[in-house]
Amino acid sequence: MAGVTLEHITKRYGDLVTVKDLNLDVKDQEFLVLVGPSGCGKSTTLRMIAGLEDISSGNLFIGGRRVNDVAPKDRDIAMVFQSYALYPHMSVYDNMAFGLKLRHTPKEQIKKRVQEAAQMLEIGHLLDRKPKALSGGQRQRVALGRAIVREPKVFLMDEPLSNLDAKLRVQTRTQISKLHQRLQTTVIYVTHDQTEAMTMADRIVVLKDGLLQQEPSAPQELYDHPENMFVAGFIGSPPMNFFDATVTGSGENLILDAGSFQLAVPPMYNHDMAPYTGKEVVFGIRPEHISDARYTDAHINASNKAVVNVEVVEPMGSEVYIYLSSGAQSFQARVDSRTRVRPSDQIEVVFDVDHLHVFDKQTQVSVLKRANVERPNRS
Ligand SMILES: Nc1ncnc2c1ncn2[C@@H]1O[C@H](COP(=O)(O)OP(=O)(O)OP(=O)(O)O)[C@@H](O)[C@H]1O
Ligand SMILES: [Mg+2]
């Protein structure tokens, strides 16, 4: 087992810099998820750790050893890709055993490891089949098995679930989480799917344009305290709503004026927002912190209201997603399933201002200092 450290890692292709001065400390046995939009440098980062891509500058350590110049096969890592690329003419058993045979592992040991891995992945009954006789999910489990039998110090996974349909993706996701608990190995997992990141990670690394967006943090911490608009909008589904607003009022009574409605700024934000008085900001609020005024929880301050237009209604069973508009602003709310509204209705909604996020309009960085934000522990 081993930790992985990236020290000022940069990747250049000619003039194009695709990973920019990345510093990461992946702890031993940690499940770290790299997430970000297409092209942000996730695969490049993973491939540099694997040794499949040269590092332009910086140092890479696996288990305390500098490995910049160590061949991939000697790095004690195993990689699982999106396309599982099994050998079609070999049985599941032989596919899983192949890497070990190449390394001249004794036959008995190969058998033991393949059987253990197959049992863990619930593919023990499929060992004699050829890949073409397997479902997509089963094939992906064989690919995982092939990595497990190597008993690597670090698993690297690049979007291993993206070829699976929605249901299988959720199942296999759970299986990988269980596997991690059982094997207690370091995992670095790449995805563009924030739900996978939220559900699987010990800590999440958000990348955009090759740049780290926020100190790697636990999923809930990123969700509750995003440090810029990109992280705020990327983590969470449906995503956070953003509104242009002007800070008005004075002293203890600051107001966020969004044009068609106004919100009273909670006292805990006064200190950080005072310098923005008279200026424009962007405030953010998640869909679950906007409620139908008729069903707002008693402990939420209900005075921050707006009358809004209903555009689209999506019943989800346990709750209802509604798309709303107020003046020029469109936004989304997740409201109580008792809310029976129809498109073009007008309703009154309450904004739970204890869960506001406020960003500098130019820099898009949060103006609220983490130390000053103590949000009530309710959703
Ligand atoms: N061999 C190459 N030569 C030039 N540019 C490259 C090369 N490989 C990757 N890139 C560029 O580096 C950037 C990062 O690519 P990378 O594959 O790491 O993205 P990613 O975050 O994994 O995206 P995706 O979610 O689409 O897989 C992209 O802009 C890509 O075009
Ligand atoms: Mg990629």
Side-chain angles (χ1 to χ4, degrees):
M1 278 168 277
V4 177
T5 302
L6 282 70
E7 226 177 57
H8 301 292
I9 294 283
T10 294
K11 178 68 187 179
R12 289 184 208 91
Y13 295 105
D15 288 342
L16 184 71
V17 189
T18 58
V19 177
K20 297 168 186 158
D21 195 27
L22 185 59
N23 291 292
L24 279 184
D25 225 339
V26 191
K27 300 187 191 91
D28 184 23
Q29 303 186 19
E30 184 172 27
F31 199 116
L32 188 93
V33 176
L34 296 181
V35 71
S38 184
C40 71
K42 305 178 295 292
S43 296
T44 307
T45 302
L46 206 66
R47 291 170 58 83
M48 285 192 284
I49 299 172
L52 302 174
E53 201 80 67
D54 285 340
I55 295 168
S56 307
S57 61
N59 296 308
L60 172 69
F61 300 89
I62 298 179
R65 178 169 73 127
R66 187 177 182 277
V67 294
N68 286 51
D69 305 313
V70 174
K73 67 175 176 46
D74 299 324
R75 290 191 184 191
D76 235 337
I77 47 122
M79 190 144 167
V80 182
F81 297 92
Q82 172 180 353
S83 56
Y84 11 85
L86 302 175
Y87 298 108
H89 57 285
M90 285 186 199
S91 67
V92 167
Y93 183 96
D94 288 334
N95 264 286
M96 286 170 69
F98 187 69
L100 297 180
K101 278 184 191 159
L102 283 186
R103 285 176 172 72
H104 307 293
T105 309
K107 225 173 177 170
E108 273 313 300
Q109 206 179 343
I110 294 180
K111 192 171 166 196
K112 183 166 164 278
R113 288 204 210 168
V114 170
Q115 279 172 345
E116 271 176 16
Q119 194 193 1
M120 239 184 268
L121 294 161
E122 296 166 37
I123 48 174
H125 58 297
L126 304 172
L127 288 174
D128 295 331
R129 291 214 198 151
K130 296 274 168 61
K132 70 170 187 303
L134 301 176
S135 72
Q138 289 166 338
R139 277 180 217 165
Q140 190 53 284
R141 278 184 274 161
V142 176
L144 282 170
R146 191 169 53 178
I148 293 170
V149 296
R150 302 253 316 274
E151 299 182 349
K153 285 187 182 152
V154 181
F155 281 102
L156 305 175
M157 304 193 187
D158 194 351
E159 312 230 15
L161 307 184
S162 46
N163 279 354
L164 306 180
D165 68 36
K167 194 169 169 205
L168 258 180
R169 213 175 315 158
V170 175
Q171 276 174 10
T172 316
R173 184 172 92 200
T174 322
Q175 206 149 22
I176 292 178
S177 292
K178 274 194 209 152
L179 208 61
H180 173 248
Q181 283 164 22
R182 183 146 169 201
L183 296 172
Q184 305 206 317
T185 311
T186 312
V187 178
I188 306 178
Y189 185 102
V190 161
T191 179
H192 60 268
D193 178 350
Q194 67 85 34
T195 311
E196 274 176 33
M198 285 294 285
T199 50
M200 300 174 91
D202 290 322
R203 286 188 306 157
I204 300 178
V205 171
V206 184
L207 289 178
K208 179 182 169 240
D209 301 332
L211 271 179
L212 181 68
Q213 294 296 299
Q214 179 162 348
E215 265 314 293
S217 308
Q220 197 65 45
E221 176 69 17
L222 275 193
Y223 189 84
D224 291 339
H225 302 282
E227 285 173 7
N228 61 43
M229 280 178 68
F230 180 78
V231 176
F234 194 81
I235 302 286
S237 174
M240 185 185 286
N241 300 296
F242 295 114
F243 298 86
D244 288 321
T246 308
V247 183
T248 62
S250 61
E252 299 292 289
N253 299 305
L254 293 180
I255 307 283
L256 277 165
D257 186 350
S260 54
F261 63 93
Q262 287 75 36
L263 304 179
V265 173
M268 64 177 167
Y269 299 161
N270 271 337
H271 176 266
D272 294 332
M273 285 186 56
Y276 286 85
T277 310
K279 296 186 181 150
E280 287 184 20
V281 293
V282 175
F283 75 83
I285 190 156
R286 294 200 182 276
E288 64 268 34
H289 297 130
I290 302 173
S291 51
D292 181 333
R294 291 167 294 175
Y295 304 114
T296 299
D297 282 352
H299 48 261
I300 294 174
N301 174 359
S303 58
N304 292 291
K305 291 185 212 176
V307 176
V308 299
N309 301 310
V310 177
E311 308 279 347
V312 177
V313 180
E314 292 180 344
M316 304 300 287
S318 60
E319 56 191 356
V320 183
Y321 294 176
I322 47 181
Y323 295 75
L324 303 164
S325 67
S326 171
Q329 316 243 28
S330 296
F331 57 103
Q332 212 178 340
R334 279 169 59 181
V335 299
D336 193 287
S337 60
R338 287 172 292 178
T339 299
R340 306 253 182 259
V341 289
R342 288 213 300 244
S344 72
D345 282 356
Q346 277 206 329
I347 60 166
E348 200 172 36
V349 293
V350 170
F351 295 84
D352 183 356
V353 292
D354 286 339
H355 291 271
L356 276 180
H357 301 260
V358 184
F359 303 94
D360 185 294
K361 195 163 178 165
Q362 261 72 49
T363 63
Q364 305 205 337
V365 172
S366 175
V367 309
L368 305 176
K369 305 270 178 314
R370 173 72 179 90
N372 298 339
V373 180
E374 209 40 72
R375 301 212 162 94
N377 191 13
R378 58 170 194 250
S379 58

